[in-house]
PDB file of all heavy atoms in Angstrom:
ATOM      1  N   TYR A 368      75.480-150.833  51.525  1.00  0.00           N
ATOM      2  CA  TYR A 368      75.519-151.807  52.613  1.00  0.00           C
ATOM      3  C   TYR A 368      74.789-153.104  52.250  1.00  0.00           C
ATOM      4  O   TYR A 368      74.571-153.947  53.108  1.00  0.00           O
ATOM      5  CB  TYR A 368      74.910-151.198  53.873  1.00  0.00           C
ATOM      6  CG  TYR A 368      75.656-149.973  54.340  1.00  0.00           C
ATOM      7  CD1 TYR A 368      75.357-148.713  53.831  1.00  0.00           C
ATOM      8  CD2 TYR A 368      76.689-150.080  55.268  1.00  0.00           C
ATOM      9  CE1 TYR A 368      76.059-147.587  54.240  1.00  0.00           C
ATOM     10  CE2 TYR A 368      77.397-148.961  55.689  1.00  0.00           C
ATOM     11  CZ  TYR A 368      77.079-147.715  55.160  1.00  0.00           C
ATOM     12  OH  TYR A 368      77.790-146.598  55.557  1.00  0.00           O
ATOM     13  N   VAL A 381      66.870-146.289  54.545  1.00  0.00           N
ATOM     14  CA  VAL A 381      68.037-146.071  55.400  1.00  0.00           C
ATOM     15  C   VAL A 381      69.273-145.795  54.552  1.00  0.00           C
ATOM     16  O   VAL A 381      70.034-144.841  54.802  1.00  0.00           O
ATOM     17  CB  VAL A 381      68.259-147.294  56.315  1.00  0.00           C
ATOM     18  CG1 VAL A 381      69.659-147.277  56.915  1.00  0.00           C
ATOM     19  CG2 VAL A 381      67.222-147.324  57.421  1.00  0.00           C
ATOM     20  N   LEU A 385      71.681-142.398  54.119  1.00  0.00           N
ATOM     21  CA  LEU A 385      73.132-142.377  54.299  1.00  0.00           C
ATOM     22  C   LEU A 385      73.847-141.855  53.058  1.00  0.00           C
ATOM     23  O   LEU A 385      74.857-141.144  53.154  1.00  0.00           O
ATOM     24  CB  LEU A 385      73.626-143.784  54.639  1.00  0.00           C
ATOM     25  CG  LEU A 385      73.327-144.271  56.065  1.00  0.00           C
ATOM     26  CD1 LEU A 385      73.573-145.762  56.183  1.00  0.00           C
ATOM     27  CD2 LEU A 385      74.184-143.512  57.074  1.00  0.00           C
ATOM     28  N   ARG A 412      71.821-155.096  58.188  1.00  0.00           N
ATOM     29  CA  ARG A 412      71.983-154.618  59.566  1.00  0.00           C
ATOM     30  C   ARG A 412      73.396-154.901  60.069  1.00  0.00           C
ATOM     31  O   ARG A 412      74.018-154.063  60.737  1.00  0.00           O
ATOM     32  CB  ARG A 412      70.951-155.278  60.484  1.00  0.00           C
ATOM     33  CG  ARG A 412      69.518-154.859  60.212  1.00  0.00           C
ATOM     34  CD  ARG A 412      68.608-155.223  61.373  1.00  0.00           C
ATOM     35  NE  ARG A 412      68.559-156.642  61.644  1.00  0.00           N
ATOM     36  CZ  ARG A 412      67.723-157.505  61.074  1.00  0.00           C
ATOM     37  NH1 ARG A 412      66.846-157.077  60.175  1.00  0.00           N
ATOM     38  NH2 ARG A 412      67.736-158.782  61.390  1.00  0.00           N
ATOM     39  N   ASP A 414      76.158-155.162  58.308  1.00  0.00           N
ATOM     40  CA  ASP A 414      77.142-154.275  57.690  1.00  0.00           C
ATOM     41  C   ASP A 414      77.023-152.852  58.228  1.00  0.00           C
ATOM     42  O   ASP A 414      78.031-152.154  58.396  1.00  0.00           O
ATOM     43  CB  ASP A 414      76.975-154.276  56.170  1.00  0.00           C
ATOM     44  CG  ASP A 414      78.289-153.997  55.452  1.00  0.00           C
ATOM     45  OD1 ASP A 414      79.348-154.358  55.994  1.00  0.00           O
ATOM     46  OD2 ASP A 414      78.258-153.388  54.362  1.00  0.00           O
ATOM     47  N   LEU A 415      75.801-152.412  58.509  1.00  0.00           N
ATOM     48  CA  LEU A 415      75.628-151.095  59.136  1.00  0.00           C
ATOM     49  C   LEU A 415      76.339-151.039  60.482  1.00  0.00           C
ATOM     50  O   LEU A 415      76.943-150.017  60.844  1.00  0.00           O
ATOM     51  CB  LEU A 415      74.138-150.792  59.314  1.00  0.00           C
ATOM     52  CG  LEU A 415      73.314-150.520  58.052  1.00  0.00           C
ATOM     53  CD1 LEU A 415      71.817-150.495  58.387  1.00  0.00           C
ATOM     54  CD2 LEU A 415      73.724-149.193  57.412  1.00  0.00           C
ATOM     55  N   LEU A 416      76.284-152.142  61.232  1.00  0.00           N
ATOM     56  CA  LEU A 416      76.948-152.191  62.534  1.00  0.00           C
ATOM     57  C   LEU A 416      78.466-152.250  62.382  1.00  0.00           C
ATOM     58  O   LEU A 416      79.203-151.506  63.039  1.00  0.00           O
ATOM     59  CB  LEU A 416      76.456-153.400  63.325  1.00  0.00           C
ATOM     60  CG  LEU A 416      75.004-153.366  63.822  1.00  0.00           C
ATOM     61  CD1 LEU A 416      74.622-154.721  64.400  1.00  0.00           C
ATOM     62  CD2 LEU A 416      74.825-152.281  64.874  1.00  0.00           C
ATOM     63  N   ARG A 418      80.458-151.250  60.093  1.00  0.00           N
ATOM     64  CA  ARG A 418      81.103-150.059  59.545  1.00  0.00           C
ATOM     65  C   ARG A 418      80.790-148.798  60.355  1.00  0.00           C
ATOM     66  O   ARG A 418      81.167-147.698  59.974  1.00  0.00           O
ATOM     67  CB  ARG A 418      80.688-149.883  58.087  1.00  0.00           C
ATOM     68  CG  ARG A 418      81.171-151.057  57.237  1.00  0.00           C
ATOM     69  CD  ARG A 418      80.597-151.054  55.849  1.00  0.00           C
ATOM     70  NE  ARG A 418      80.987-149.860  55.105  1.00  0.00           N
ATOM     71  CZ  ARG A 418      80.595-149.612  53.850  1.00  0.00           C
ATOM     72  NH1 ARG A 418      79.803-150.481  53.236  1.00  0.00           N
ATOM     73  NH2 ARG A 418      80.980-148.513  53.230  1.00  0.00           N
ATOM     74  N   GLY A 419      80.076-148.972  61.461  1.00  0.00           N
ATOM     75  CA  GLY A 419      79.838-147.850  62.357  1.00  0.00           C
ATOM     76  C   GLY A 419      78.794-146.868  61.869  1.00  0.00           C
ATOM     77  O   GLY A 419      78.747-145.731  62.355  1.00  0.00           O
ATOM     78  N   ALA A 420      77.931-147.286  60.912  1.00  0.00           N
ATOM     79  CA  ALA A 420      76.906-146.374  60.390  1.00  0.00           C
ATOM     80  C   ALA A 420      75.704-146.285  61.324  1.00  0.00           C
ATOM     81  O   ALA A 420      75.138-145.201  61.509  1.00  0.00           O
ATOM     82  CB  ALA A 420      76.455-146.823  59.000  1.00  0.00           C
ATOM     83  N   LEU A 421      75.285-147.394  61.882  1.00  0.00           N
ATOM     84  CA  LEU A 421      74.146-147.391  62.803  1.00  0.00           C
ATOM     85  C   LEU A 421      74.659-147.095  64.205  1.00  0.00           C
ATOM     86  O   LEU A 421      75.443-147.856  64.770  1.00  0.00           O
ATOM     87  CB  LEU A 421      73.418-148.738  62.772  1.00  0.00           C
ATOM     88  CG  LEU A 421      72.187-148.853  63.680  1.00  0.00           C
ATOM     89  CD1 LEU A 421      71.148-147.804  63.313  1.00  0.00           C
ATOM     90  CD2 LEU A 421      71.582-150.245  63.595  1.00  0.00           C
ATOM     91  N   ARG A 422      74.182-145.991  64.800  1.00  0.00           N
ATOM     92  CA  ARG A 422      74.701-145.550  66.076  1.00  0.00           C
ATOM     93  C   ARG A 422      73.739-145.796  67.233  1.00  0.00           C
ATOM     94  O   ARG A 422      74.164-145.967  68.372  1.00  0.00           O
ATOM     95  CB  ARG A 422      75.041-144.048  66.016  1.00  0.00           C
ATOM     96  CG  ARG A 422      75.972-143.664  64.889  1.00  0.00           C
ATOM     97  CD  ARG A 422      77.310-144.367  64.977  1.00  0.00           C
ATOM     98  NE  ARG A 422      78.064-143.955  66.145  1.00  0.00           N
ATOM     99  CZ  ARG A 422      78.650-144.797  67.004  1.00  0.00           C
ATOM    100  NH1 ARG A 422      78.566-146.092  66.825  1.00  0.00           N
ATOM    101  NH2 ARG A 422      79.325-144.334  68.033  1.00  0.00           N
ATOM    102  N   ALA A 423      72.421-145.765  66.971  1.00  0.00           N
ATOM    103  CA  ALA A 423      71.478-145.934  68.083  1.00  0.00           C
ATOM    104  C   ALA A 423      70.139-146.428  67.563  1.00  0.00           C
ATOM    105  O   ALA A 423      69.740-146.106  66.438  1.00  0.00           O
ATOM    106  CB  ALA A 423      71.287-144.615  68.842  1.00  0.00           C
ATOM    107  N   VAL A 424      69.471-147.206  68.396  1.00  0.00           N
ATOM    108  CA  VAL A 424      68.086-147.622  68.159  1.00  0.00           C
ATOM    109  C   VAL A 424      67.303-147.267  69.422  1.00  0.00           C
ATOM    110  O   VAL A 424      67.639-147.723  70.520  1.00  0.00           O
ATOM    111  CB  VAL A 424      67.968-149.128  67.867  1.00  0.00           C
ATOM    112  CG1 VAL A 424      66.496-149.525  67.714  1.00  0.00           C
ATOM    113  CG2 VAL A 424      68.753-149.500  66.605  1.00  0.00           C
ATOM    114  N   VAL A 441      63.150-145.536  66.523  1.00  0.00           N
ATOM    115  CA  VAL A 441      63.892-144.464  65.859  1.00  0.00           C
ATOM    116  C   VAL A 441      65.330-144.942  65.693  1.00  0.00           C
ATOM    117  O   VAL A 441      65.966-145.346  66.672  1.00  0.00           O
ATOM    118  CB  VAL A 441      63.848-143.154  66.670  1.00  0.00           C
ATOM    119  CG1 VAL A 441      64.814-142.126  66.084  1.00  0.00           C
ATOM    120  CG2 VAL A 441      62.438-142.587  66.682  1.00  0.00           C
ATOM    121  N   TRP A 442      65.813-144.915  64.441  1.00  0.00           N
ATOM    122  CA  TRP A 442      67.205-145.265  64.170  1.00  0.00           C
ATOM    123  C   TRP A 442      68.008-143.983  63.980  1.00  0.00           C
ATOM    124  O   TRP A 442      67.588-143.078  63.243  1.00  0.00           O
ATOM    125  CB  TRP A 442      67.320-146.120  62.917  1.00  0.00           C
ATOM    126  CG  TRP A 442      66.844-147.533  63.074  1.00  0.00           C
ATOM    127  CD1 TRP A 442      65.986-148.020  64.018  1.00  0.00           C
ATOM    128  CD2 TRP A 442      67.200-148.640  62.237  1.00  0.00           C
ATOM    129  NE1 TRP A 442      65.782-149.360  63.838  1.00  0.00           N
ATOM    130  CE2 TRP A 442      66.519-149.775  62.741  1.00  0.00           C
ATOM    131  CE3 TRP A 442      68.012-148.794  61.137  1.00  0.00           C
ATOM    132  CZ2 TRP A 442      66.627-151.030  62.158  1.00  0.00           C
ATOM    133  CZ3 TRP A 442      68.142-150.049  60.537  1.00  0.00           C
ATOM    134  CH2 TRP A 442      67.458-151.154  61.055  1.00  0.00           C
ATOM    135  N   VAL A 443      69.152-143.908  64.636  1.00  0.00           N
ATOM    136  CA  VAL A 443      70.083-142.793  64.463  1.00  0.00           C
ATOM    137  C   VAL A 443      71.320-143.328  63.762  1.00  0.00           C
ATOM    138  O   VAL A 443      71.959-144.277  64.248  1.00  0.00           O
ATOM    139  CB  VAL A 443      70.459-142.154  65.817  1.00  0.00           C
ATOM    140  CG1 VAL A 443      71.362-140.940  65.592  1.00  0.00           C
ATOM    141  CG2 VAL A 443      69.214-141.753  66.592  1.00  0.00           C
ATOM    142  N   LEU A 444      71.649-142.744  62.609  1.00  0.00           N
ATOM    143  CA  LEU A 444      72.770-143.213  61.800  1.00  0.00           C
ATOM    144  C   LEU A 444      73.713-142.049  61.507  1.00  0.00           C
ATOM    145  O   LEU A 444      73.291-140.890  61.473  1.00  0.00           O
ATOM    146  CB  LEU A 444      72.284-143.821  60.479  1.00  0.00           C
ATOM    147  CG  LEU A 444      71.252-144.953  60.597  1.00  0.00           C
ATOM    148  CD1 LEU A 444      69.882-144.443  60.185  1.00  0.00           C
ATOM    149  CD2 LEU A 444      71.652-146.161  59.752  1.00  0.00           C
ATOM    150  N   ARG A 445      74.969-142.369  61.275  1.00  0.00           N
ATOM    151  CA  ARG A 445      75.938-141.365  60.857  1.00  0.00           C
ATOM    152  C   ARG A 445      76.742-141.916  59.687  1.00  0.00           C
ATOM    153  O   ARG A 445      77.087-143.106  59.676  1.00  0.00           O
ATOM    154  CB  ARG A 445      76.868-140.984  62.004  1.00  0.00           C
ATOM    155  CG  ARG A 445      76.223-139.978  62.952  1.00  0.00           C
ATOM    156  CD  ARG A 445      77.209-139.389  63.914  1.00  0.00           C
ATOM    157  NE  ARG A 445      76.545-138.359  64.724  1.00  0.00           N
ATOM    158  CZ  ARG A 445      76.971-137.960  65.903  1.00  0.00           C
ATOM    159  NH1 ARG A 445      78.059-138.496  66.414  1.00  0.00           N
ATOM    160  NH2 ARG A 445      76.342-137.020  66.579  1.00  0.00           N
ATOM    161  N   PRO A 447      79.873-142.667  58.265  1.00  0.00           N
ATOM    162  CA  PRO A 447      81.174-142.742  58.939  1.00  0.00           C
ATOM    163  C   PRO A 447      82.287-142.153  58.078  1.00  0.00           C
ATOM    164  O   PRO A 447      82.391-142.455  56.889  1.00  0.00           O
ATOM    165  CB  PRO A 447      81.369-144.240  59.165  1.00  0.00           C
ATOM    166  CG  PRO A 447      80.516-144.907  58.132  1.00  0.00           C
ATOM    167  CD  PRO A 447      79.362-143.986  57.871  1.00  0.00           C
ATOM    168  N   GLU A 455      80.530-149.471  69.344  1.00  0.00           N
ATOM    169  CA  GLU A 455      79.381-149.861  70.147  1.00  0.00           C
ATOM    170  C   GLU A 455      78.148-149.159  69.590  1.00  0.00           C
ATOM    171  O   GLU A 455      78.255-148.138  68.900  1.00  0.00           O
ATOM    172  CB  GLU A 455      79.591-149.485  71.621  1.00  0.00           C
ATOM    173  CG  GLU A 455      80.748-150.229  72.269  1.00  0.00           C
ATOM    174  CD  GLU A 455      80.776-150.086  73.786  1.00  0.00           C
ATOM    175  OE1 GLU A 455      79.826-149.480  74.342  1.00  0.00           O
ATOM    176  OE2 GLU A 455      81.727-150.593  74.409  1.00  0.00           O
ATOM    177  N   VAL A 456      76.982-149.689  69.890  1.00  0.00           N
ATOM    178  CA  VAL A 456      75.722-149.097  69.444  1.00  0.00           C
ATOM    179  C   VAL A 456      74.840-148.883  70.667  1.00  0.00           C
ATOM    180  O   VAL A 456      74.826-149.703  71.595  1.00  0.00           O
ATOM    181  CB  VAL A 456      75.018-149.987  68.393  1.00  0.00           C
ATOM    182  CG1 VAL A 456      74.623-151.328  68.981  1.00  0.00           C
ATOM    183  CG2 VAL A 456      73.809-149.291  67.790  1.00  0.00           C
ATOM    184  N   LEU A 457      74.137-147.769  70.686  1.00  0.00           N
ATOM    185  CA  LEU A 457      73.288-147.425  71.826  1.00  0.00           C
ATOM    186  C   LEU A 457      71.891-147.994  71.619  1.00  0.00           C
ATOM    187  O   LEU A 457      71.281-147.797  70.561  1.00  0.00           O
ATOM    188  CB  LEU A 457      73.200-145.898  71.964  1.00  0.00           C
ATOM    189  CG  LEU A 457      72.254-145.369  73.042  1.00  0.00           C
ATOM    190  CD1 LEU A 457      72.763-145.735  74.436  1.00  0.00           C
ATOM    191  CD2 LEU A 457      72.074-143.854  72.916  1.00  0.00           C
ATOM    192  N   PHE A 488      76.107-140.851  75.147  1.00  0.00           N
ATOM    193  CA  PHE A 488      76.769-141.821  74.276  1.00  0.00           C
ATOM    194  C   PHE A 488      77.579-141.125  73.184  1.00  0.00           C
ATOM    195  O   PHE A 488      78.694-141.551  72.842  1.00  0.00           O
ATOM    196  CB  PHE A 488      75.716-142.735  73.662  1.00  0.00           C
ATOM    197  CG  PHE A 488      76.241-143.672  72.613  1.00  0.00           C
ATOM    198  CD1 PHE A 488      76.927-144.823  72.963  1.00  0.00           C
ATOM    199  CD2 PHE A 488      76.049-143.408  71.260  1.00  0.00           C
ATOM    200  CE1 PHE A 488      77.413-145.689  71.993  1.00  0.00           C
ATOM    201  CE2 PHE A 488      76.522-144.271  70.291  1.00  0.00           C
ATOM    202  CZ  PHE A 488      77.216-145.413  70.654  1.00  0.00           C
ATOM    203  N   VAL A 506      79.367-153.973  69.289  1.00  0.00           N
ATOM    204  CA  VAL A 506      78.797-154.497  68.051  1.00  0.00           C
ATOM    205  C   VAL A 506      78.999-156.001  67.941  1.00  0.00           C
ATOM    206  O   VAL A 506      78.130-156.726  67.436  1.00  0.00           O
ATOM    207  CB  VAL A 506      79.410-153.747  66.846  1.00  0.00           C
ATOM    208  CG1 VAL A 506      79.162-154.494  65.549  1.00  0.00           C
ATOM    209  CG2 VAL A 506      78.847-152.338  66.770  1.00  0.00           C
ATOM    210  N   LEU A 516      68.228-156.157  66.672  1.00  0.00           N
ATOM    211  CA  LEU A 516      68.540-154.871  67.284  1.00  0.00           C
ATOM    212  C   LEU A 516      67.446-154.359  68.209  1.00  0.00           C
ATOM    213  O   LEU A 516      67.515-153.207  68.651  1.00  0.00           O
ATOM    214  CB  LEU A 516      68.802-153.824  66.185  1.00  0.00           C
ATOM    215  CG  LEU A 516      69.851-154.191  65.141  1.00  0.00           C
ATOM    216  CD1 LEU A 516      69.984-153.071  64.123  1.00  0.00           C
ATOM    217  CD2 LEU A 516      71.188-154.478  65.787  1.00  0.00           C
TER     218      LEU A 516
END
Side-chain angles (χ1 to χ4, degrees):
Y368 299 86
V381 164
L385 286 167
R412 292 196 299 272
D414 209 30
L415 290 170
L416 291 172
R418 297 170 62 181
L421 181 59
R422 306 300 294 131
V424 176
V441 171
W442 287 21
V443 184
L444 305 106
R445 279 192 176 157
E455 296 192 5
V456 64
L457 175 67
F488 173 78
V506 164
L516 306 179

